[in-house]
Amino acid sequence: MNYYEEAAKQIPIKAEVDVLVIGGGPAGFSAAISAARRGMKTMLIEQAGDVGGVATTGLMSHWTGNTKGGFYEELLDRSSELPEENKSLSHNGSYRQIINPETLKTVMLQMLDEAGVILQLYTFASDAIVEDSTLKGIITESKSGREVIYSKIIIDASGDGDIAAKAGAPFIKGREDDGKMQPMTLMFKVAGVDTSKAVFPGGFEDNIEIPRGLIQNLGSANIPHPAGHVLLYRTTLPGVVSCNMTNCIGVDGTKAEDLTHATFVCRSQMTPIIKFLRDFVPGYENCFPISSASVIGVRETRHFIGEYTLTKEDILEAKIFEDWIVTKAHFNFDVHNISGSGLDETGAQKHFTQPKGYTIPYGCFVPQKIDNLLLAGRNISGTHLAHSNYRVMPICVNMGHAVGIAAALCIKENVVPRDLCAKKIQAILKVEGVQP
Ligand SMILES: Cc1cc2nc3c(=O)[nH]c(=O)nc-3n(C[C@H](O)[C@H](O)[C@H](O)COP(=O)(O)OP(=O)(O)OC[C@H]3O[C@@H](n4cnc5c(N)ncnc54)[C@H](O)[C@@H]3O)c2cc1C
């Protein structure tokens, strides 16, 4: 590759804060609120024009899996449009967990404002300012130009860990053996569905019998590869259904050209998928597209190497770590097929057998080598398989809750995250309804 040598320039210092959070997805949003509620001068930087990450700009259907206690419950109380479960209607999970992304965008903004978080949208965190292995600040790029933000503690909740990577924190991408990552998906919604007749397969193993055969087999035979699975979810709106059915494999979410390619591939699949729904699936005969995510959904990229790395075995044992900071986390091994459609051979949805929730220890949020940096969300330290479980949004929200507390404690006690005693985080979490 050829290089251009940039001349040295002076960059204005935009702000100096206590806690800086990169990324306003489920993890970063909650981390920022949690730190601000503890009196920290907290700033949140988000590249998109809305907060919420995959939950909003990704047009997400519902909060999947669960946790108990903590900030996730508060967010659900504030944003849920369907307070009660209606057991007479089929749906994968609780009715409260269905997301209306339009409502959620506004609720999240209001909650950030109430907590006093300094929010800057349309701003990309592009580089790390590191001195002697200590992260001192970041460089941002936006319409305002290139700017510097200094912070006592920085929480990287960008999903991909862009700043942690720039700072030099060690990571691997994707699967341990070959680096391959889960497929990307562009979520979209169809309207005009007769929901009294419609079916809602919520998992790959929901192979529902419909007039022309088994729905997943029909999808696999009639939707162009690498799409082919049928995942349909109720929304809060009449006749509107969320489709998690486009699929692009072999792409890396840390490369702009791969993100562009995946967007192209997934958009190209929308018309054939809608034709399949109209031709084969009861209730969808007259459906038509009404909206699609404004960004491609990226499931997996970097896994940072932390002081501890969560494993599949920890989840299967429902392990309670001494230094737990996220508790009662429950989901399955949701690995989308790395080389096609449907569930990967390493995944387990209905066949996930552990009914108890697991905990995530503080060490998973503390990256090796770099100080003043915490991780939150899907980029924490865990194996490819463990990540397939903790990546769901309720768990990411409660990660942010705990990490926001950790950041505030580090500042109050003048210690680096590596030296903070997790029992102190636990003491606050317990008061706020989180029990091991
Ligand atoms: C297609 C798809 C379907 C899914 N389905 C479900 C589901 O049904 N239920 C569920 O609970 N979970 C689901 N998940 C998983 C879940 O949405 C994600 O794992 C979760 O949102 C991760 O949260 P996060 O906060 O770590 O990251 P994200 O939600 O990815 O948020 C990261 C935020 O950081 C911002 N950002 C990134 N880089 C930078 C930067 N350098 N500077 C500034 N801002 C930056 C992004 O714009 C984004 O807003 C799905 C994921 C995908 C992709």
Side-chain angles (χ1 to χ4, degrees), residues 62-63 66 76 82-83 85 91-98:
H62 62 297
W63 305 95
N66 227 323
L76 212 54
L82 296 175
E85 270 192 54
H91 173 64
N92 208 284
S94 149
Y95 270 69
R96 279 183 87 214
Q97 289 179 287
I98 298 177

Side-chain angles (χ1 to χ4, degrees), residues 313-321 354-359:
E313 289 71 29
D314 295 332
I315 293 174
L316 285 174
E317 284 170 33
K319 202 158 171 176
I320 299 182
F321 288 91
Q354 173 59 271
K356 288 193 217 147
Y358 59 95
T359 65

